Amino acid sequence: MSEWEPVIGLEVHAHLKTRTKMFCRCELEYSAGENTRTCPVCLAHPGALPVPNARAIEFTITLGLALGCEIAAHSVFARKNYFYPDLPKGYQISQYEAPLCGRGTFVVPTAGGEERVGIVRAHLEEDAAKTVHAGGATGRSVGAAYSLVDFNRGGTPLLEIVSEPDLHSSDGALRYLRLLRQTIVELGISDAEMEKGTLRADVNVSVRERGEEGYRPRWEIKNMNSFTFIGRAIDAAVRQQIAAHEAGERVEQSTYDYDPDTDRLTVHRSKEEADDYRYFPEPDLVPVEPPAELVERLRAELPELPGARIVRYAAEIGFERADELVMTGNEANALLLVGAGLDLDTAATVSMNQLAGRTLLPENAAPLGEVIRAGNLTREAFNAAFAAAVEGPIDAAEFLAQTAVSDESALGPVIDAILAANPEQVETYRGGKEGVLGFLVGRVMRETQGKADPAVVNRLLRERLRA
Ligand SMILES: [Zn+2]
């Protein structure tokens, strides 16, 4: 049996967060009533001419710089010709031979070191309108009674980022996609929300035997808008392709649909080649030639990117926690507490636990830091301090008064009583299953109405259990 290696590349589409559309002045408003944000340009009336959105071009360059791409001095919009009811012009304005952003590298930190994912290109295009299939059970075109088109979305600036097939597992692909999304969001160029359709991905999957050069035919799974389904679709594609190769069947290059109910891919249509689109330079638009000063200004404005921050924090608190801190949005609270003098390790711990999902008021960083550093407060006092710190100004003194019982002579008899009452757990612990300690600590805390110092309880319990 051969050992197979998945080969995965992603094409990621993000709606840019501009005020207006890519080539006209219609406003982008997701909640607007259907077909209320249209004009002769985005409805393709004869004679209407496109005018490029300067902000969308800047956003694309910014992202290109973040991905280490070469920024083109001369970039061209091209017509991609095809017919579909959501595309009134009969072509999409995209970029083909001369994209705004050329080759780059996106560095994805992992527990095992940095993974470098090649970027083929990042270009700018316009999104199609939205088709809604109605009157059927599935919401798909097959079986629908009729279809409606909402042209509000037509002409939305769309950034497409194409990676090299450098990814070799569904986990790796998802890690790349999540970090890319985080980067896009932090740069402020897109909300990149999969649930709202402002971030979508086409996934290209093939397999090859380990050590094999070159690539086998790939399957393209288009328009995926859920991290979970992307992961499952990749795994399903890998499974089905390996089975086909091993059975000696032909694997054709095609577009596939993923069906979550059966966890299988079914062929959608055979893949078009670029030739089928009859690309040619858009005659209604002049080439885009970003001035060097603009590119340098955008480069200077780049913030420290999430990937770089993960690497920096990881040196102090380890990769897993650094990754979690940055990717879960608890970083801001942690940095406030670091600013108040806590070490990053402690600040990260409380930010990802007690403060998770809540916003610490900046003025409370210092008093809360004091409370955390005190260490010997009752659990209630800690919890109350964390709860209050996201509500309004707090006074550390109020919580510092509520010290926990750490006096061994006071805790000793309680602990002895708990041990005597729970012989089974004592036996289990001594048998090597130390996880049971948490249960015993919990009993002591309950017995002391939460006033005991958990660190001291832990130590005393361990000492007695060792005896
Ligand atoms: Zn318009």
Side-chain angles (χ1 to χ4, degrees), residues 21 23-27 37-43 154:
K21 292 187 182 180
F23 297 113
C24 64
R25 299 175 69 176
C26 290
E27 290 196 16
R37 299 293 182 270
T38 62
C39 74
V41 174
C42 55
L43 289 177

Side-chain angles (χ1 to χ4, degrees), residues 113-410:
E114 292 184 354
E115 268 173 25
R116 304 172 73 79
V117 180
I119 302 296
V120 179
R121 57 190 279 149
H123 72 243
L124 193 49
E125 58 188 29
E126 55 177 343
D127 202 1
K130 188 175 173 184
T131 312
V132 182
H133 304 292
T138 61
R140 295 177 178 212
S141 53
V142 178
Y146 56 92
S147 299
L148 299 165
V149 186
D150 177 5
F151 286 96
N152 285 0
R153 196 180 75 182
T156 301
L158 201 57
L159 172 62
E160 176 170 338
I161 303 143
V162 183
S163 85
E164 295 279 5
D166 286 347
L167 299 156
H168 299 291
S169 69
S170 52
D171 283 349
L174 290 176
R175 200 178 315 118
Y176 162 83
L177 187 56
R178 289 206 167 94
L179 187 64
L180 180 59
R181 178 190 176 274
Q182 182 72 18
T183 304
I184 290 171
V185 170
E186 288 190 17
L187 290 173
I189 64 177
S190 171
D191 291 330
E193 289 182 83
M194 284 208 161
E195 318 76 65
K196 286 192 182 165
T198 55
L199 185 76
R200 310 194 293 265
D202 298 345
V203 185
N204 293 305
V205 185
S206 64
V207 296
R208 64 182 174 192
E209 290 183 43
R210 215 164 279 283
E212 184 180 329
E213 295 286 323
Y215 302 113
R216 299 192 181 200
R218 65 174 186 268
W219 291 359
E220 186 174 5
I221 315 155
K222 289 183 93 81
N223 264 325
M224 301 290 290
N225 58 359
S226 140
F227 284 104
T228 308
F229 289 161
I230 287 172
R232 288 193 202 160
I234 290 172
D235 290 338
V238 168
R239 263 197 320 270
Q240 286 175 239
Q241 287 183 20
I242 291 174
H245 286 304
E246 292 191 338
E249 291 163 17
R250 223 174 116 81
V251 171
E252 307 251 9
Q253 184 148 320
S254 296
T255 306
Y256 277 72
D257 289 323
Y258 173 68
D259 181 348
D261 293 333
T262 60
D263 195 26
R264 283 187 65 82
L265 295 152
T266 49
V267 69
H268 180 82
R269 60 181 148 87
S270 63
K271 171 90 182 122
E272 313 85 351
E273 293 301 325
D275 283 355
D276 299 332
Y277 290 118
R278 297 291 185 271
Y279 279 99
F280 63 84
E282 166 60 63
D284 290 338
L285 291 168
V286 296
V288 180
E289 299 184 331
E293 309 84 75
L294 170 71
V295 176
E296 286 322 303
R297 173 170 69 76
L298 295 173
R299 194 193 302 278
E301 285 172 3
L302 275 187
E304 188 186 15
L305 298 170
R309 299 203 308 279
I310 291 172
V311 171
R312 184 159 58 84
Y313 299 152
E316 218 170 314
I317 59 174
F319 169 77
E320 301 290 345
R321 301 186 68 225
D323 187 57
E324 193 188 341
L325 184 64
V326 171
M327 301 300 285
T328 54
N330 292 309
E331 186 184 356
N333 287 344
L335 293 182
L336 281 173
L337 291 170
V338 168
L342 287 192
D343 60 276
L344 181 61
D345 196 40
T346 308
T349 301
V350 299
S351 297
M352 293 192 287
N353 295 298
Q354 288 86 348
L355 289 170
R358 303 193 281 179
T359 306
L360 174 63
L361 301 180
E363 68 264 34
N364 286 339
L368 186 63
E370 218 178 309
V371 169
I372 295 166
R373 264 195 307 268
N376 63 339
L377 307 188
T378 62
R379 198 170 285 186
E380 279 76 14
F382 277 121
N383 291 342
F386 284 117
V390 299
E391 299 286 343
I394 61 167
D395 179 1
E398 183 192 327
F399 304 100
L400 291 173
Q402 305 173 48
T403 48
V405 179
S406 56
D407 182 356
E408 294 185 22
S409 59

Side-chain angles (χ1 to χ4, degrees), residues 431-455:
K433 291 191 177 144
E434 302 197 356
V436 76
L437 190 70
F439 168 82
L440 295 168
V441 173
R443 285 292 148 122
V444 177
M445 295 308 289
R446 193 200 290 177
E447 194 61 32
T448 57
Q449 279 107 45
K451 292 198 170 59
D453 182 333

